[in-house]
Amino acid sequence: MLSIDEARDIVLAAVRPLPAESVPLAQALDRVLAAPVVAAHDVPRFVNSAMDGFALQAGPADRTLRIVGESRAGHPATVALGPGEAIRISTGAQVPRGADAVVMVERTTEREGTVRVEAGTTPDQNLRHAGEDMRAGTTVLQAGLRVGPAELGVAANAGVATLRCVRRPRVVVLATGDELVVPGGVLGPGQIHDSNALTLSALARRAGAEVAHAGEVPDTPQSTEAAVRAAFTMADVVLCSGGVSVGEHDHVKPAYLRAGVEERFWRVALRPGKPTWFGTRGPQLAFGLPGNPVSAMVTFLLFARPALLALQGADPGTPRERRRLTVAVPRHEARDECVRVRLDGDEATPTGPQASHVLTSMLGADALAIIPRGTGELAVGSTVEVERLPA
Ligand code: AMP
Ligand code: MG
């Protein structure tokens, strides 16, 4: 059976990054840049004042200067400044020609068209120079970066209106199972509410994907195949949950195969998540995630999320950190186990019962601790590797 890393490598090797498109800044939050952003001009573009005060020629304290004009933000002075003169100026306003310093208004007294300057000034004092923030022609945002609030602002300052972003991956989530009822639906005998369609859609959105469809599929070969075929007409990535084990009512693998998907792997030496299946259909990716709600989320995080990031040209890296266990954890003989843990300083504490149907074990979890397979238990204080869960 494949290890977690081997399975993830197979998934990532199958990813072909999606094409780029132009996105207006106002819609670009959380998108991944397909191309660098280069400053179209210096920022600041002109020398401007860091203070409300008076622009003047630098000089000693206790001078009286004649006020010959005003420079406001967005309204530069129309006159140049000469010796013995001052121009009233506000923060961000262009420094008038002839001036080389600004004195803050708090150090001045104004009287009948003149200003008494109490403080001495040195050249450049309270001036913001062109290009201090960005230089024209320099790269200010790198390709592969996810656009956050600061990136949007920097792009606007850099003089661009649209960003080249990788197209969002389109995802279809199919929760298979005759027992599934939509959330809020009345439960008949043996029925349960479908949680995987929600958790997997939410995880996919958080990973930058668009969810084109999410819903339940009955356990018949026909309905599974029809749902999978329909999914491939609109999705870059199809996520099925359930129906990938060896049961008589597990129809996902044959449905994928009949829909033209080529199997890349089935089964990972992992708990929870052993029956995880992965295949490709040209550039389209097909996941068969186990049905147990924790298994579905964990295997999404381990395998599908990196694929969605890589499709967007973002770093799919899943850096591991080391933490100490605050309790002993039993080891599985043949499979590495992903235990949901809370992190506190250098310590990791399991969230509670870890069975794969106990979805509340995901609540408050900060990370997955990878408990390597082996015999016996890992003692209190043992160091383990953890992968942080995304925000
Ligand atoms: P399966 O992988 O189809 O054998 O399902 C394994 C377990 O997960 C069973 O207990 C299912 O009832 C449960 N399960 C499957 N799909 C879902 C779902 N969408 N939401 C909640 N539980 C599910
Ligand atoms: Mg099932």
Side-chain angles (χ1 to χ4, degrees), residues 118-181:
E118 291 142 25
T121 44
T122 52
D124 273 357
Q125 196 170 339
N126 296 325
L127 300 195
R128 301 162 166 174
H129 287 285
E132 275 181 356
D133 192 359
M134 326 174 186
R135 282 254 166 244
T138 56
T139 296
V140 290
L141 300 172
Q142 303 285 350
L145 202 88
R146 190 173 293 280
V147 176
E151 285 74 15
L152 289 175
V154 164
N157 287 349
V160 304
T162 59
L163 294 174
R164 293 296 289 171
C165 297
V166 184
R167 178 164 75 64
R168 283 183 185 281
R170 283 191 279 268
V171 168
V172 166
V173 179
L174 301 172
T176 73
D178 276 350
E179 73 277 36
L180 301 178
V181 173

Tab-separated table of all heavy atoms in Angstrom, residues 118-181:
chain	number	residue	atom	x	y	z
A	118	GLU	N	8.287	78.267	14.427
A	118	GLU	CA	9.064	78.185	15.675
A	118	GLU	C	10.208	77.180	15.581
A	118	GLU	O	11.215	77.319	16.261
A	118	GLU	CB	8.136	77.766	16.832
A	118	GLU	CG	7.140	78.831	17.216
A	118	GLU	CD	5.776	78.251	17.575
A	118	GLU	OE1	5.730	77.070	17.986
A	118	GLU	OE2	4.769	78.975	17.397
A	119	ALA	N	10.026	76.160	14.753
A	119	ALA	CA	11.011	75.069	14.701
A	119	ALA	C	11.973	75.266	13.533
A	119	ALA	O	11.576	75.756	12.476
A	119	ALA	CB	10.299	73.733	14.552
A	120	GLY	N	13.215	74.865	13.740
A	120	GLY	CA	14.157	74.825	12.633
A	120	GLY	C	13.860	73.603	11.765
A	120	GLY	O	13.278	72.623	12.230
A	121	THR	N	14.204	73.674	10.497
A	121	THR	CA	13.967	72.555	9.581
A	121	THR	C	15.238	72.236	8.815
A	121	THR	O	16.060	73.128	8.560
A	121	THR	CB	12.844	72.889	8.571
A	121	THR	OG1	13.056	74.222	8.098
A	121	THR	CG2	11.461	72.782	9.198
A	122	THR	N	15.364	70.959	8.461
A	122	THR	CA	16.500	70.547	7.628
A	122	THR	C	15.949	70.064	6.290
A	122	THR	O	14.784	69.665	6.216
A	122	THR	CB	17.274	69.403	8.302
A	122	THR	OG1	16.329	68.383	8.645
A	122	THR	CG2	17.978	69.880	9.574
A	123	PRO	N	16.763	70.133	5.235
A	123	PRO	CA	16.277	69.698	3.925
A	123	PRO	C	15.696	68.271	4.016
A	123	PRO	O	16.246	67.433	4.730
A	123	PRO	CB	17.521	69.718	3.034
A	123	PRO	CG	18.411	70.735	3.679
A	123	PRO	CD	18.153	70.627	5.158
A	124	ASP	N	14.582	68.046	3.317
A	124	ASP	CA	13.897	66.735	3.262
A	124	ASP	C	12.995	66.467	4.464
A	124	ASP	O	12.303	65.452	4.483
A	124	ASP	CB	14.889	65.566	3.170
A	124	ASP	CG	15.261	65.262	1.736
A	124	ASP	OD1	14.687	65.928	0.832
A	124	ASP	OD2	16.121	64.403	1.518
A	125	GLN	N	13.020	67.334	5.441
A	125	GLN	CA	12.229	67.049	6.639
A	125	GLN	C	10.743	66.967	6.290
A	125	GLN	O	10.201	67.843	5.616
A	125	GLN	CB	12.480	68.120	7.695
A	125	GLN	CG	12.006	67.686	9.068
A	125	GLN	CD	12.467	68.640	10.148
A	125	GLN	OE1	13.443	69.394	9.973
A	125	GLN	NE2	11.774	68.619	11.269
A	126	ASN	N	10.116	65.886	6.739
A	126	ASN	CA	8.673	65.655	6.539
A	126	ASN	C	8.284	65.510	5.065
A	126	ASN	O	7.125	65.710	4.713
A	126	ASN	CB	7.831	66.741	7.208
A	126	ASN	CG	8.004	66.717	8.719
A	126	ASN	OD1	8.162	65.644	9.307
A	126	ASN	ND2	8.002	67.884	9.342
A	127	LEU	N	9.263	65.152	4.218
A	127	LEU	CA	8.938	64.894	2.811
A	127	LEU	C	8.910	63.385	2.570
A	127	LEU	O	9.722	62.651	3.119
A	127	LEU	CB	9.981	65.515	1.876
A	127	LEU	CG	10.188	67.012	1.941
A	127	LEU	CD1	10.968	67.484	0.711
A	127	LEU	CD2	8.860	67.764	2.031
A	128	ARG	N	7.969	62.960	1.737
A	128	ARG	CA	7.939	61.573	1.264
A	128	ARG	C	8.359	61.611	-0.196
A	128	ARG	O	7.742	62.317	-0.997
A	128	ARG	CB	6.526	61.009	1.348
A	128	ARG	CG	5.918	61.001	2.730
A	128	ARG	CD	4.430	60.855	2.530
A	128	ARG	NE	3.703	60.515	3.731
A	128	ARG	CZ	2.377	60.456	3.762
A	128	ARG	NH1	1.654	60.711	2.672
A	128	ARG	NH2	1.757	60.136	4.876
A	129	HIS	N	9.385	60.848	-0.501
A	129	HIS	CA	9.957	60.934	-1.844
A	129	HIS	C	9.329	59.949	-2.814
A	129	HIS	O	8.818	58.895	-2.412
A	129	HIS	CB	11.470	60.741	-1.772
A	129	HIS	CG	12.144	61.938	-1.192
A	129	HIS	ND1	12.323	63.096	-1.900
A	129	HIS	CD2	12.615	62.175	0.055
A	129	HIS	CE1	12.896	64.004	-1.127
A	129	HIS	NE2	13.078	63.463	0.076
A	130	ALA	N	9.396	60.293	-4.089
A	130	ALA	CA	8.866	59.421	-5.143
A	130	ALA	C	9.584	58.078	-5.091
A	130	ALA	O	10.788	58.017	-4.864
A	130	ALA	CB	9.047	60.075	-6.505
A	131	GLY	N	8.818	56.994	-5.254
A	131	GLY	CA	9.424	55.660	-5.336
A	131	GLY	C	9.793	55.051	-3.996
A	131	GLY	O	10.369	53.967	-3.958
A	132	GLU	N	9.480	55.717	-2.890
A	132	GLU	CA	9.847	55.146	-1.585
A	132	GLU	C	9.114	53.834	-1.309
A	132	GLU	O	9.619	52.954	-0.632
A	132	GLU	CB	9.539	56.141	-0.459
A	132	GLU	CG	10.644	57.142	-0.227
A	132	GLU	CD	10.334	58.103	0.919
A	132	GLU	OE1	9.228	58.050	1.502
A	132	GLU	OE2	11.210	58.913	1.214
A	133	ASP	N	7.910	53.709	-1.828
A	133	ASP	CA	7.110	52.499	-1.617
A	133	ASP	C	7.399	51.491	-2.726
A	133	ASP	O	7.732	50.332	-2.464
A	133	ASP	CB	5.630	52.895	-1.578
A	133	ASP	CG	4.735	51.781	-1.070
A	133	ASP	OD1	5.240	50.690	-0.772
A	133	ASP	OD2	3.512	52.006	-0.997
A	134	MET	N	7.293	51.911	-3.977
A	134	MET	CA	7.623	51.041	-5.121
A	134	MET	C	8.294	51.896	-6.194
A	134	MET	O	7.939	53.041	-6.398
A	134	MET	CB	6.387	50.447	-5.804
A	134	MET	CG	5.241	50.120	-4.947
A	134	MET	SD	3.821	49.611	-5.956
A	134	MET	CE	2.641	49.496	-4.615
A	135	ARG	N	9.220	51.257	-6.900
A	135	ARG	CA	9.888	51.893	-8.031
A	135	ARG	C	9.220	51.440	-9.318
A	135	ARG	O	8.914	50.259	-9.461
A	135	ARG	CB	11.362	51.478	-8.082
A	135	ARG	CG	12.217	52.206	-7.094
A	135	ARG	CD	13.088	53.250	-7.815
A	135	ARG	NE	13.656	54.170	-6.842
A	135	ARG	CZ	13.383	55.482	-6.800
A	135	ARG	NH1	12.559	56.023	-7.691
A	135	ARG	NH2	13.933	56.249	-5.895
A	136	ALA	N	9.002	52.358	-10.247
A	136	ALA	CA	8.436	52.005	-11.550
A	136	ALA	C	9.220	50.844	-12.149
A	136	ALA	O	10.443	50.841	-12.111
A	136	ALA	CB	8.481	53.204	-12.486
A	137	GLY	N	8.497	49.842	-12.687
A	137	GLY	CA	9.159	48.753	-13.391
A	137	GLY	C	9.593	47.597	-12.515
A	137	GLY	O	10.014	46.560	-13.025
A	138	THR	N	9.489	47.746	-11.201
A	138	THR	CA	9.897	46.627	-10.355
A	138	THR	C	8.692	45.723	-10.079
A	138	THR	O	7.543	46.160	-10.087
A	138	THR	CB	10.494	47.093	-9.011
A	138	THR	OG1	9.534	47.917	-8.356
A	138	THR	CG2	11.781	47.866	-9.222
A	139	THR	N	8.984	44.429	-9.856
A	139	THR	CA	7.939	43.460	-9.533
A	139	THR	C	7.550	43.633	-8.074
A	139	THR	O	8.399	43.555	-7.192
A	139	THR	CB	8.465	42.036	-9.784
A	139	THR	OG1	8.728	41.913	-11.181
A	139	THR	CG2	7.444	40.981	-9.364
A	140	VAL	N	6.271	43.872	-7.855
A	140	VAL	CA	5.820	44.057	-6.468
A	140	VAL	C	5.036	42.856	-5.951
A	140	VAL	O	4.923	42.668	-4.736
A	140	VAL	CB	5.006	45.358	-6.305
A	140	VAL	CG1	5.925	46.562	-6.447
A	140	VAL	CG2	3.855	45.443	-7.291
A	141	LEU	N	4.486	42.032	-6.856
A	141	LEU	CA	3.785	40.813	-6.438
A	141	LEU	C	4.218	39.679	-7.362
A	141	LEU	O	4.223	39.839	-8.587
A	141	LEU	CB	2.257	40.994	-6.525
A	141	LEU	CG	1.630	42.115	-5.674
A	141	LEU	CD1	0.157	42.291	-6.017
A	141	LEU	CD2	1.800	41.815	-4.189
A	142	GLN	N	4.565	38.554	-6.775
A	142	GLN	CA	5.077	37.427	-7.560
A	142	GLN	C	3.935	36.510	-8.023
A	142	GLN	O	2.938	36.356	-7.306
A	142	GLN	CB	6.033	36.577	-6.704
A	142	GLN	CG	7.214	37.337	-6.120
A	142	GLN	CD	8.283	37.648	-7.164
A	142	GLN	OE1	8.231	37.134	-8.285
A	142	GLN	NE2	9.234	38.487	-6.794
A	143	ALA	N	4.138	35.868	-9.171
A	143	ALA	CA	3.194	34.837	-9.624
A	143	ALA	C	3.144	33.719	-8.593
A	143	ALA	O	4.137	33.427	-7.940
A	143	ALA	CB	3.627	34.291	-10.982
A	144	GLY	N	1.969	33.120	-8.443
A	144	GLY	CA	1.813	32.016	-7.492
A	144	GLY	C	1.319	32.472	-6.135
A	144	GLY	O	0.927	31.655	-5.299
A	145	LEU	N	1.317	33.778	-5.930
A	145	LEU	CA	0.882	34.356	-4.649
A	145	LEU	C	-0.631	34.364	-4.571
A	145	LEU	O	-1.312	34.638	-5.554
A	145	LEU	CB	1.364	35.801	-4.664
A	145	LEU	CG	1.548	36.523	-3.374
A	145	LEU	CD1	2.977	36.235	-2.901
A	145	LEU	CD2	1.415	38.013	-3.626
A	146	ARG	N	-1.165	34.075	-3.387
A	146	ARG	CA	-2.602	34.228	-3.204
A	146	ARG	C	-2.895	35.674	-2.822
A	146	ARG	O	-2.219	36.247	-1.976
A	146	ARG	CB	-3.131	33.264	-2.139
A	146	ARG	CG	-4.647	33.224	-2.108
A	146	ARG	CD	-5.189	32.148	-1.178
A	146	ARG	NE	-4.902	30.798	-1.640
A	146	ARG	CZ	-5.597	30.154	-2.585
A	146	ARG	NH1	-6.632	30.737	-3.172
A	146	ARG	NH2	-5.275	28.941	-2.943
A	147	VAL	N	-3.890	36.247	-3.483
A	147	VAL	CA	-4.186	37.668	-3.318
A	147	VAL	C	-4.998	37.879	-2.045
A	147	VAL	O	-6.103	37.361	-1.911
A	147	VAL	CB	-4.966	38.192	-4.545
A	147	VAL	CG1	-5.375	39.644	-4.335
A	147	VAL	CG2	-4.126	38.033	-5.809
A	148	GLY	N	-4.438	38.634	-1.123
A	148	GLY	CA	-5.136	39.025	0.100
A	148	GLY	C	-5.429	40.508	0.062
A	148	GLY	O	-5.173	41.177	-0.950
A	149	PRO	N	-5.970	41.040	1.142
A	149	PRO	CA	-6.293	42.467	1.173
A	149	PRO	C	-5.098	43.368	0.853
A	149	PRO	O	-5.238	44.331	0.084
A	149	PRO	CB	-6.779	42.676	2.610
A	149	PRO	CG	-7.302	41.339	3.025
A	149	PRO	CD	-6.420	40.328	2.357
A	150	ALA	N	-3.934	43.073	1.417
A	150	ALA	CA	-2.771	43.931	1.179
A	150	ALA	C	-2.330	43.853	-0.280
A	150	ALA	O	-1.963	44.869	-0.891
A	150	ALA	CB	-1.619	43.535	2.103
A	151	GLU	N	-2.402	42.657	-0.868
A	151	GLU	CA	-2.008	42.496	-2.274
A	151	GLU	C	-2.924	43.317	-3.182
A	151	GLU	O	-2.476	43.906	-4.170
A	151	GLU	CB	-2.047	41.017	-2.677
A	151	GLU	CG	-0.879	40.185	-2.145
A	151	GLU	CD	-0.968	39.883	-0.652
A	151	GLU	OE1	-2.063	40.064	-0.069
A	151	GLU	OE2	0.061	39.497	-0.070
A	152	LEU	N	-4.218	43.340	-2.864
A	152	LEU	CA	-5.153	44.143	-3.664
A	152	LEU	C	-4.763	45.613	-3.621
A	152	LEU	O	-4.735	46.297	-4.646
A	152	LEU	CB	-6.589	43.987	-3.130
A	152	LEU	CG	-7.250	42.636	-3.384
A	152	LEU	CD1	-8.612	42.588	-2.685
A	152	LEU	CD2	-7.410	42.397	-4.882
A	153	GLY	N	-4.451	46.100	-2.419
A	153	GLY	CA	-4.084	47.506	-2.278
A	153	GLY	C	-2.786	47.823	-2.993
A	153	GLY	O	-2.667	48.849	-3.674
A	154	VAL	N	-1.816	46.936	-2.865
A	154	VAL	CA	-0.526	47.150	-3.529
A	154	VAL	C	-0.711	47.164	-5.047
A	154	VAL	O	-0.130	47.989	-5.752
A	154	VAL	CB	0.485	46.067	-3.089
A	154	VAL	CG1	1.687	46.017	-4.019
A	154	VAL	CG2	0.932	46.328	-1.646
A	155	ALA	N	-1.569	46.259	-5.553
A	155	ALA	CA	-1.817	46.223	-6.998
A	155	ALA	C	-2.467	47.526	-7.457
A	155	ALA	O	-2.094	48.094	-8.493
A	155	ALA	CB	-2.703	45.031	-7.350
A	156	ALA	N	-3.416	48.019	-6.681
A	156	ALA	CA	-4.068	49.288	-7.041
A	156	ALA	C	-3.035	50.400	-7.069
A	156	ALA	O	-2.976	51.197	-8.019
A	156	ALA	CB	-5.185	49.610	-6.048
A	157	ASN	N	-2.180	50.471	-6.046
A	157	ASN	CA	-1.143	51.506	-6.003
A	157	ASN	C	-0.167	51.371	-7.161
A	157	ASN	O	0.369	52.356	-7.640
A	157	ASN	CB	-0.372	51.429	-4.682
A	157	ASN	CG	-1.191	51.935	-3.523
A	157	ASN	OD1	-2.255	52.531	-3.720
A	157	ASN	ND2	-0.713	51.700	-2.312
A	158	ALA	N	0.059	50.126	-7.580
A	158	ALA	CA	1.006	49.880	-8.668
A	158	ALA	C	0.435	50.326	-10.013
A	158	ALA	O	1.126	50.274	-11.024
A	158	ALA	CB	1.376	48.405	-8.717
A	159	GLY	N	-0.826	50.719	-10.015
A	159	GLY	CA	-1.404	51.289	-11.236
A	159	GLY	C	-2.108	50.288	-12.122
A	159	GLY	O	-2.419	50.580	-13.280
A	160	VAL	N	-2.405	49.078	-11.599
A	160	VAL	CA	-3.097	48.105	-12.439
A	160	VAL	C	-4.570	48.024	-12.018
A	160	VAL	O	-4.913	48.298	-10.865
A	160	VAL	CB	-2.445	46.704	-12.370
A	160	VAL	CG1	-0.974	46.784	-12.741
A	160	VAL	CG2	-2.623	46.075	-11.010
A	161	ALA	N	-5.426	47.651	-12.958
A	161	ALA	CA	-6.864	47.563	-12.680
A	161	ALA	C	-7.346	46.117	-12.685
A	161	ALA	O	-8.365	45.787	-12.085
A	161	ALA	CB	-7.649	48.361	-13.714
A	162	THR	N	-6.603	45.262	-13.379
A	162	THR	CA	-6.967	43.847	-13.423
A	162	THR	C	-5.728	43.012	-13.129
A	162	THR	O	-4.603	43.463	-13.338
A	162	THR	CB	-7.509	43.418	-14.803
A	162	THR	OG1	-6.495	43.684	-15.770
A	162	THR	CG2	-8.783	44.156	-15.166
A	163	LEU	N	-5.968	41.808	-12.665
A	163	LEU	CA	-4.867	40.897	-12.377
A	163	LEU	C	-5.006	39.664	-13.254
A	163	LEU	O	-6.126	39.187	-13.490
A	163	LEU	CB	-4.909	40.478	-10.904
A	163	LEU	CG	-4.645	41.583	-9.882
A	163	LEU	CD1	-4.865	41.064	-8.469
A	163	LEU	CD2	-3.235	42.140	-10.042
A	164	ARG	N	-3.884	39.136	-13.717
A	164	ARG	CA	-3.893	37.833	-14.383
A	164	ARG	C	-3.921	36.777	-13.280
A	164	ARG	O	-2.981	36.655	-12.495
A	164	ARG	CB	-2.641	37.645	-15.248
A	164	ARG	CG	-2.562	38.575	-16.446
A	164	ARG	CD	-3.676	38.354	-17.448
A	164	ARG	NE	-3.540	37.099	-18.182
A	164	ARG	CZ	-4.482	36.600	-18.984
A	164	ARG	NH1	-5.646	37.243	-19.124
A	164	ARG	NH2	-4.288	35.475	-19.623
A	165	CYS	N	-5.038	36.070	-13.203
A	165	CYS	CA	-5.195	35.049	-12.167
A	165	CYS	C	-5.451	33.710	-12.837
A	165	CYS	O	-6.029	33.647	-13.917
A	165	CYS	CB	-6.386	35.367	-11.262
A	165	CYS	SG	-6.183	36.902	-10.341
A	166	VAL	N	-5.044	32.655	-12.148
A	166	VAL	CA	-5.352	31.327	-12.654
A	166	VAL	C	-6.852	31.099	-12.477
A	166	VAL	O	-7.433	31.519	-11.472
A	166	VAL	CB	-4.555	30.261	-11.888
A	166	VAL	CG1	-4.792	28.884	-12.486
A	166	VAL	CG2	-3.080	30.605	-11.884
A	167	ARG	N	-7.453	30.480	-13.484
A	167	ARG	CA	-8.871	30.157	-13.356
A	167	ARG	C	-9.089	29.310	-12.100
A	167	ARG	O	-8.274	28.466	-11.766
A	167	ARG	CB	-9.324	29.393	-14.608
A	167	ARG	CG	-10.771	28.957	-14.566
A	167	ARG	CD	-11.279	28.556	-15.934
A	167	ARG	NE	-10.830	27.254	-16.427
A	167	ARG	CZ	-11.111	26.075	-15.874
A	167	ARG	NH1	-11.813	26.012	-14.765
A	167	ARG	NH2	-10.679	24.952	-16.415
A	168	ARG	N	-10.219	29.573	-11.428
A	168	ARG	CA	-10.527	28.753	-10.253
A	168	ARG	C	-10.866	27.334	-10.701
A	168	ARG	O	-11.630	27.170	-11.666
A	168	ARG	CB	-11.773	29.293	-9.543
A	168	ARG	CG	-11.566	30.519	-8.711
A	168	ARG	CD	-12.881	30.847	-8.027
A	168	ARG	NE	-12.845	32.080	-7.283
A	168	ARG	CZ	-12.294	32.204	-6.073
A	168	ARG	NH1	-11.735	31.166	-5.492
A	168	ARG	NH2	-12.305	33.363	-5.455
A	169	PRO	N	-10.361	26.324	-10.008
A	169	PRO	CA	-10.772	24.960	-10.361
A	169	PRO	C	-12.276	24.796	-10.118
A	169	PRO	O	-12.805	25.321	-9.138
A	169	PRO	CB	-9.988	24.076	-9.388
A	169	PRO	CG	-8.940	24.939	-8.788
A	169	PRO	CD	-9.403	26.357	-8.898
A	170	ARG	N	-12.938	24.112	-11.048
A	170	ARG	CA	-14.367	23.804	-10.847
A	170	ARG	C	-14.487	22.392	-10.282
A	170	ARG	O	-13.915	21.451	-10.821
A	170	ARG	CB	-15.119	23.934	-12.170
A	170	ARG	CG	-15.381	25.389	-12.561
A	170	ARG	CD	-16.337	25.488	-13.723
A	170	ARG	NE	-15.648	25.272	-14.983
A	170	ARG	CZ	-15.118	26.248	-15.723
A	170	ARG	NH1	-15.204	27.503	-15.335
A	170	ARG	NH2	-14.523	25.969	-16.852
A	171	VAL	N	-15.234	22.310	-9.210
A	171	VAL	CA	-15.329	21.049	-8.476
A	171	VAL	C	-16.780	20.588	-8.428
A	171	VAL	O	-17.693	21.407	-8.304
A	171	VAL	CB	-14.794	21.244	-7.034
A	171	VAL	CG1	-15.131	20.070	-6.139
A	171	VAL	CG2	-13.287	21.481	-7.058
A	172	VAL	N	-16.996	19.287	-8.579
A	172	VAL	CA	-18.312	18.692	-8.305
A	172	VAL	C	-18.141	17.704	-7.153
A	172	VAL	O	-17.184	16.922	-7.140
A	172	VAL	CB	-18.887	17.997	-9.555
A	172	VAL	CG1	-20.073	17.101	-9.175
A	172	VAL	CG2	-19.320	19.034	-10.586
A	173	VAL	N	-19.038	17.803	-6.183
A	173	VAL	CA	-18.999	16.906	-5.023
A	173	VAL	C	-20.207	15.981	-5.097
A	173	VAL	O	-21.352	16.445	-5.156
A	173	VAL	CB	-19.045	17.694	-3.695
A	173	VAL	CG1	-19.028	16.730	-2.508
A	173	VAL	CG2	-17.878	18.675	-3.609
A	174	LEU	N	-19.959	14.678	-5.115
A	174	LEU	CA	-21.033	13.690	-5.156
A	174	LEU	C	-20.948	12.822	-3.909
A	174	LEU	O	-19.969	12.085	-3.719
A	174	LEU	CB	-20.898	12.805	-6.404
A	174	LEU	CG	-20.931	13.548	-7.749
A	174	LEU	CD1	-20.590	12.591	-8.889
A	174	LEU	CD2	-22.282	14.203	-7.969
A	175	ALA	N	-21.941	12.944	-3.052
A	175	ALA	CA	-21.985	12.120	-1.840
A	175	ALA	C	-22.830	10.900	-2.161
A	175	ALA	O	-24.032	11.006	-2.385
A	175	ALA	CB	-22.587	12.915	-0.688
A	176	THR	N	-22.166	9.729	-2.220
A	176	THR	CA	-22.918	8.525	-2.574
A	176	THR	C	-23.421	7.835	-1.322
A	176	THR	O	-22.747	7.824	-0.291
A	176	THR	CB	-22.058	7.535	-3.382
A	176	THR	OG1	-21.100	6.922	-2.506
A	176	THR	CG2	-21.336	8.223	-4.525
A	177	GLY	N	-24.592	7.276	-1.408
A	177	GLY	CA	-25.137	6.504	-0.293
A	177	GLY	C	-26.656	6.557	-0.280
A	177	GLY	O	-27.229	7.645	-0.270
A	178	ASP	N	-27.285	5.380	-0.275
A	178	ASP	CA	-28.751	5.301	-0.197
A	178	ASP	C	-29.286	5.854	1.120
A	178	ASP	O	-30.450	6.213	1.223
A	178	ASP	CB	-29.201	3.840	-0.314
A	178	ASP	CG	-29.320	3.397	-1.766
A	178	ASP	OD1	-29.234	4.276	-2.661
A	178	ASP	OD2	-29.475	2.184	-2.003
A	179	GLU	N	-28.409	5.865	2.127
A	179	GLU	CA	-28.857	6.285	3.452
A	179	GLU	C	-28.916	7.804	3.607
A	179	GLU	O	-29.376	8.305	4.623
A	179	GLU	CB	-27.926	5.691	4.520
A	179	GLU	CG	-26.525	6.301	4.626
A	179	GLU	CD	-25.506	5.751	3.622
A	179	GLU	OE1	-25.891	5.464	2.469
A	179	GLU	OE2	-24.314	5.660	3.982
A	180	LEU	N	-28.432	8.538	2.593
A	180	LEU	CA	-28.229	9.983	2.783
A	180	LEU	C	-29.492	10.794	2.540
A	180	LEU	O	-30.213	10.582	1.564
A	180	LEU	CB	-27.118	10.477	1.850
A	180	LEU	CG	-25.771	9.782	2.052
A	180	LEU	CD1	-24.758	10.311	1.040
A	180	LEU	CD2	-25.267	9.978	3.475
A	181	VAL	N	-29.721	11.738	3.431
A	181	VAL	CA	-30.847	12.673	3.343
A	181	VAL	C	-30.254	14.079	3.421
A	181	VAL	O	-29.306	14.301	4.193
A	181	VAL	CB	-31.837	12.435	4.506
A	181	VAL	CG1	-32.913	13.500	4.537
A	181	VAL	CG2	-32.439	11.036	4.409
